PDB file of all heavy atoms in Angstrom:
ATOM      1  N   VAL A 427     -18.929  23.929  12.517  1.00 91.00           N
ATOM      2  CA  VAL A 427     -17.901  25.060  12.732  1.00 91.00           C
ATOM      3  C   VAL A 427     -17.331  25.540  11.416  1.00 91.00           C
ATOM      4  O   VAL A 427     -17.119  26.839  11.195  1.00 91.00           O
ATOM      5  CB  VAL A 427     -16.737  24.687  13.685  1.00 91.00           C
ATOM      6  CG1 VAL A 427     -15.642  25.797  13.707  1.00 91.00           C
ATOM      7  CG2 VAL A 427     -17.301  24.349  14.990  1.00 91.00           C
ATOM      8  N   ARG A 428     -17.115  24.598  10.496  1.00 90.00           N
ATOM      9  CA  ARG A 428     -16.375  24.946   9.292  1.00 90.00           C
ATOM     10  C   ARG A 428     -17.316  25.503   8.031  1.00 90.00           C
ATOM     11  O   ARG A 428     -16.805  25.953   7.106  1.00 90.00           O
ATOM     12  CB  ARG A 428     -15.523  23.862   8.840  1.00 90.00           C
ATOM     13  CG  ARG A 428     -14.346  23.540   9.717  1.00 90.00           C
ATOM     14  CD  ARG A 428     -13.450  22.393   9.350  1.00 90.00           C
ATOM     15  NE  ARG A 428     -12.290  22.233   9.978  1.00 90.00           N
ATOM     16  CZ  ARG A 428     -12.133  21.544  11.104  1.00 90.00           C
ATOM     17  NH1 ARG A 428     -13.117  20.870  11.571  1.00 90.00           N
ATOM     18  NH2 ARG A 428     -10.936  21.470  11.825  1.00 90.00           N
ATOM     19  N   LEU A 429     -18.580  24.957   7.987  1.00 92.00           N
ATOM     20  CA  LEU A 429     -19.453  25.018   6.744  1.00 92.00           C
ATOM     21  C   LEU A 429     -20.777  25.711   7.239  1.00 92.00           C
ATOM     22  O   LEU A 429     -21.251  25.559   8.263  1.00 92.00           O
ATOM     23  CB  LEU A 429     -19.792  23.624   6.290  1.00 92.00           C
ATOM     24  CG  LEU A 429     -18.659  22.826   5.654  1.00 92.00           C
ATOM     25  CD1 LEU A 429     -19.095  21.470   5.258  1.00 92.00           C
ATOM     26  CD2 LEU A 429     -17.795  23.555   4.593  1.00 92.00           C
ATOM     27  N   PRO A 430     -21.235  26.541   6.279  1.00 92.00           N
ATOM     28  CA  PRO A 430     -22.554  26.971   6.590  1.00 92.00           C
ATOM     29  C   PRO A 430     -23.612  26.031   6.585  1.00 92.00           C
ATOM     30  O   PRO A 430     -23.429  24.842   6.031  1.00 92.00           O
ATOM     31  CB  PRO A 430     -22.760  28.061   5.220  1.00 92.00           C
ATOM     32  CG  PRO A 430     -21.833  27.472   4.283  1.00 92.00           C
ATOM     33  CD  PRO A 430     -20.707  26.905   4.914  1.00 92.00           C
ATOM     34  N   ASP A 431     -24.897  26.306   7.040  1.00 91.00           N
ATOM     35  CA  ASP A 431     -25.940  25.230   7.166  1.00 91.00           C
ATOM     36  C   ASP A 431     -26.163  24.640   5.874  1.00 91.00           C
ATOM     37  O   ASP A 431     -26.385  23.319   5.776  1.00 91.00           O
ATOM     38  CB  ASP A 431     -27.122  25.888   7.781  1.00 91.00           C
ATOM     39  CG  ASP A 431     -26.907  26.147   9.276  1.00 91.00           C
ATOM     40  OD1 ASP A 431     -25.839  25.599   9.900  1.00 91.00           O
ATOM     41  OD2 ASP A 431     -27.673  26.950   9.911  1.00 91.00           O
ATOM     42  N   TYR A 432     -26.259  25.346   4.754  1.00 90.00           N
ATOM     43  CA  TYR A 432     -26.802  24.796   3.479  1.00 90.00           C
ATOM     44  C   TYR A 432     -25.613  23.771   2.908  1.00 90.00           C
ATOM     45  O   TYR A 432     -26.113  23.031   1.998  1.00 90.00           O
ATOM     46  CB  TYR A 432     -27.163  25.897   2.551  1.00 90.00           C
ATOM     47  CG  TYR A 432     -25.949  26.721   2.093  1.00 90.00           C
ATOM     48  CD1 TYR A 432     -25.223  26.454   1.087  1.00 90.00           C
ATOM     49  CD2 TYR A 432     -25.682  28.027   2.798  1.00 90.00           C
ATOM     50  CE1 TYR A 432     -24.047  27.114   0.609  1.00 90.00           C
ATOM     51  CE2 TYR A 432     -24.623  28.744   2.247  1.00 90.00           C
ATOM     52  CZ  TYR A 432     -23.931  28.367   1.254  1.00 90.00           C
ATOM     53  OH  TYR A 432     -22.845  29.171   0.839  1.00 90.00           O
ATOM     54  N   MET A 433     -24.519  23.741   3.346  1.00 93.00           N
ATOM     55  CA  MET A 433     -23.573  22.892   2.785  1.00 93.00           C
ATOM     56  C   MET A 433     -23.343  21.657   3.754  1.00 93.00           C
ATOM     57  O   MET A 433     -22.575  20.782   3.385  1.00 93.00           O
ATOM     58  CB  MET A 433     -22.173  23.478   2.721  1.00 93.00           C
ATOM     59  CG  MET A 433     -22.129  24.752   1.711  1.00 93.00           C
ATOM     60  SD  MET A 433     -20.566  25.409   1.588  1.00 93.00           S
ATOM     61  CE  MET A 433     -19.492  24.111   0.838  1.00 93.00           C
ATOM     62  N   LEU A 434     -24.056  21.551   4.899  1.00 93.00           N
ATOM     63  CA  LEU A 434     -23.958  20.308   5.763  1.00 93.00           C
ATOM     64  C   LEU A 434     -24.516  19.135   5.050  1.00 93.00           C
ATOM     65  O   LEU A 434     -25.707  19.189   4.613  1.00 93.00           O
ATOM     66  CB  LEU A 434     -24.573  20.585   7.085  1.00 93.00           C
ATOM     67  CG  LEU A 434     -23.784  21.677   7.836  1.00 93.00           C
ATOM     68  CD1 LEU A 434     -24.660  21.914   9.066  1.00 93.00           C
ATOM     69  CD2 LEU A 434     -22.470  21.251   8.213  1.00 93.00           C
ATOM     70  N   PRO A 435     -23.778  18.083   5.056  1.00 93.00           N
ATOM     71  CA  PRO A 435     -24.370  16.724   4.510  1.00 93.00           C
ATOM     72  C   PRO A 435     -25.687  16.403   5.380  1.00 93.00           C
ATOM     73  O   PRO A 435     -25.704  16.477   6.550  1.00 93.00           O
ATOM     74  CB  PRO A 435     -23.269  15.775   4.746  1.00 93.00           C
ATOM     75  CG  PRO A 435     -22.078  16.538   4.787  1.00 93.00           C
ATOM     76  CD  PRO A 435     -22.382  17.804   5.477  1.00 93.00           C
ATOM     77  N   SER A 436     -26.617  15.860   4.677  1.00 90.00           N
ATOM     78  CA  SER A 436     -27.773  15.265   5.394  1.00 90.00           C
ATOM     79  C   SER A 436     -27.524  13.977   5.960  1.00 90.00           C
ATOM     80  O   SER A 436     -28.230  13.562   7.069  1.00 90.00           O
ATOM     81  CB  SER A 436     -28.963  15.125   4.496  1.00 90.00           C
ATOM     82  OG  SER A 436     -28.669  14.161   3.418  1.00 90.00           O
ATOM     83  N   ALA A 437     -26.546  13.246   5.599  1.00 89.00           N
ATOM     84  CA  ALA A 437     -26.039  11.995   6.112  1.00 89.00           C
ATOM     85  C   ALA A 437     -24.652  11.755   5.934  1.00 89.00           C
ATOM     86  O   ALA A 437     -24.054  12.249   4.929  1.00 89.00           O
ATOM     87  CB  ALA A 437     -26.948  10.877   5.657  1.00 89.00           C
ATOM     88  N   ILE A 438     -23.948  11.050   6.845  1.00 91.00           N
ATOM     89  CA  ILE A 438     -22.489  10.677   6.684  1.00 91.00           C
ATOM     90  C   ILE A 438     -22.476   9.205   6.878  1.00 91.00           C
ATOM     91  O   ILE A 438     -22.738   8.801   7.966  1.00 91.00           O
ATOM     92  CB  ILE A 438     -21.717  11.537   7.685  1.00 91.00           C
ATOM     93  CG1 ILE A 438     -21.790  12.969   7.402  1.00 91.00           C
ATOM     94  CG2 ILE A 438     -20.270  11.005   7.591  1.00 91.00           C
ATOM     95  CD1 ILE A 438     -20.865  13.794   8.499  1.00 91.00           C
ATOM     96  N   GLY A 439     -21.954   8.531   5.886  1.00 89.00           N
ATOM     97  CA  GLY A 439     -21.684   7.143   5.925  1.00 89.00           C
ATOM     98  C   GLY A 439     -20.269   6.857   6.415  1.00 89.00           C
ATOM     99  O   GLY A 439     -19.375   7.407   5.934  1.00 89.00           O
ATOM    100  N   MET A 440     -20.053   5.873   7.368  1.00 89.00           N
ATOM    101  CA  MET A 440     -18.834   5.655   7.841  1.00 89.00           C
ATOM    102  C   MET A 440     -18.374   4.245   7.225  1.00 89.00           C
ATOM    103  O   MET A 440     -19.119   3.272   7.647  1.00 89.00           O
ATOM    104  CB  MET A 440     -18.613   5.697   9.321  1.00 89.00           C
ATOM    105  CG  MET A 440     -17.314   5.681   9.913  1.00 89.00           C
ATOM    106  SD  MET A 440     -17.281   5.986  11.663  1.00 89.00           S
ATOM    107  CE  MET A 440     -17.854   7.694  11.846  1.00 89.00           C
ATOM    108  N   LEU A 441     -17.327   4.090   6.571  1.00 89.00           N
ATOM    109  CA  LEU A 441     -16.949   2.930   6.005  1.00 89.00           C
ATOM    110  C   LEU A 441     -15.516   2.661   6.446  1.00 89.00           C
ATOM    111  O   LEU A 441     -14.660   3.467   6.767  1.00 89.00           O
ATOM    112  CB  LEU A 441     -16.883   2.975   4.456  1.00 89.00           C
ATOM    113  CG  LEU A 441     -18.186   3.368   3.805  1.00 89.00           C
ATOM    114  CD1 LEU A 441     -18.099   3.553   2.284  1.00 89.00           C
ATOM    115  CD2 LEU A 441     -19.268   2.153   4.048  1.00 89.00           C
ATOM    116  N   ALA A 442     -15.019   1.402   6.261  1.00 86.00           N
ATOM    117  CA  ALA A 442     -13.706   0.999   6.772  1.00 86.00           C
ATOM    118  C   ALA A 442     -12.654   1.717   5.759  1.00 86.00           C
ATOM    119  O   ALA A 442     -11.641   2.129   6.206  1.00 86.00           O
ATOM    120  CB  ALA A 442     -13.575  -0.579   6.760  1.00 86.00           C
ATOM    121  N   VAL A 443     -13.091   1.725   4.559  1.00 85.00           N
ATOM    122  CA  VAL A 443     -12.170   2.342   3.434  1.00 85.00           C
ATOM    123  C   VAL A 443     -13.226   2.615   2.300  1.00 85.00           C
ATOM    124  O   VAL A 443     -14.016   1.977   2.062  1.00 85.00           O
ATOM    125  CB  VAL A 443     -11.040   1.273   2.975  1.00 85.00           C
ATOM    126  CG1 VAL A 443     -11.698   0.099   2.260  1.00 85.00           C
ATOM    127  CG2 VAL A 443     -10.129   2.094   2.012  1.00 85.00           C
ATOM    128  N   LEU A 444     -12.921   3.886   1.675  1.00 87.00           N
ATOM    129  CA  LEU A 444     -13.603   4.193   0.621  1.00 87.00           C
ATOM    130  C   LEU A 444     -13.159   3.508  -0.802  1.00 87.00           C
ATOM    131  O   LEU A 444     -11.939   3.404  -0.980  1.00 87.00           O
ATOM    132  CB  LEU A 444     -13.625   5.724   0.310  1.00 87.00           C
ATOM    133  CG  LEU A 444     -14.004   6.632   1.459  1.00 87.00           C
ATOM    134  CD1 LEU A 444     -14.221   8.024   1.039  1.00 87.00           C
ATOM    135  CD2 LEU A 444     -15.403   6.162   2.104  1.00 87.00           C
ATOM    136  N   GLU A 445     -14.153   2.987  -1.606  1.00 83.00           N
ATOM    137  CA  GLU A 445     -13.720   2.390  -2.880  1.00 83.00           C
ATOM    138  C   GLU A 445     -12.919   3.282  -3.768  1.00 83.00           C
ATOM    139  O   GLU A 445     -13.194   4.514  -3.833  1.00 83.00           O
ATOM    140  CB  GLU A 445     -14.993   2.018  -3.687  1.00 83.00           C
ATOM    141  CG  GLU A 445     -15.736   0.909  -2.875  1.00 83.00           C
ATOM    142  CD  GLU A 445     -15.062  -0.476  -3.100  1.00 83.00           C
ATOM    143  OE1 GLU A 445     -14.285  -0.719  -4.093  1.00 83.00           O
ATOM    144  OE2 GLU A 445     -15.438  -1.392  -2.327  1.00 83.00           O
ATOM    145  N   VAL A 446     -11.940   2.770  -4.329  1.00 80.00           N
ATOM    146  CA  VAL A 446     -11.016   3.493  -5.280  1.00 80.00           C
ATOM    147  C   VAL A 446     -11.012   2.865  -6.554  1.00 80.00           C
ATOM    148  O   VAL A 446     -11.231   1.779  -6.717  1.00 80.00           O
ATOM    149  CB  VAL A 446      -9.611   3.827  -4.762  1.00 80.00           C
ATOM    150  CG1 VAL A 446      -9.670   4.562  -3.345  1.00 80.00           C
ATOM    151  CG2 VAL A 446      -8.904   2.382  -4.532  1.00 80.00           C
ATOM    152  N   SER A 447     -10.836   3.736  -7.624  1.00 77.00           N
ATOM    153  CA  SER A 447     -10.644   3.264  -9.024  1.00 77.00           C
ATOM    154  C   SER A 447      -9.250   2.527  -9.207  1.00 77.00           C
ATOM    155  O   SER A 447      -8.468   2.594  -8.289  1.00 77.00           O
ATOM    156  CB  SER A 447     -10.860   4.314  -9.959  1.00 77.00           C
ATOM    157  OG  SER A 447      -9.797   5.318  -9.889  1.00 77.00           O
ATOM    158  N   GLY A 448      -8.975   2.087 -10.428  1.00 70.00           N
ATOM    159  CA  GLY A 448      -7.791   1.477 -10.731  1.00 70.00           C
ATOM    160  C   GLY A 448      -6.529   2.514 -10.687  1.00 70.00           C
ATOM    161  O   GLY A 448      -5.451   2.021 -10.387  1.00 70.00           O
ATOM    162  N   SER A 449      -6.907   3.810 -10.695  1.00 67.00           N
ATOM    163  CA  SER A 449      -5.778   4.833 -10.646  1.00 67.00           C
ATOM    164  C   SER A 449      -5.492   5.144  -9.161  1.00 67.00           C
ATOM    165  O   SER A 449      -4.726   6.077  -8.822  1.00 67.00           O
ATOM    166  CB  SER A 449      -6.111   6.005 -11.510  1.00 67.00           C
ATOM    167  OG  SER A 449      -7.320   6.626 -10.929  1.00 67.00           O
TER     168      SER A 449
END
Side-chain angles (χ1 to χ4, degrees):
V427 173
R428 292 181 169 91
L429 297 174
D431 289 346
Y432 66 86
M433 291 182 68
L434 294 173
S436 60
I438 299 177
M440 192 174 293
L441 305 173
V443 64
L444 302 192
E445 290 285 337
V446 296
S447 64
S449 63

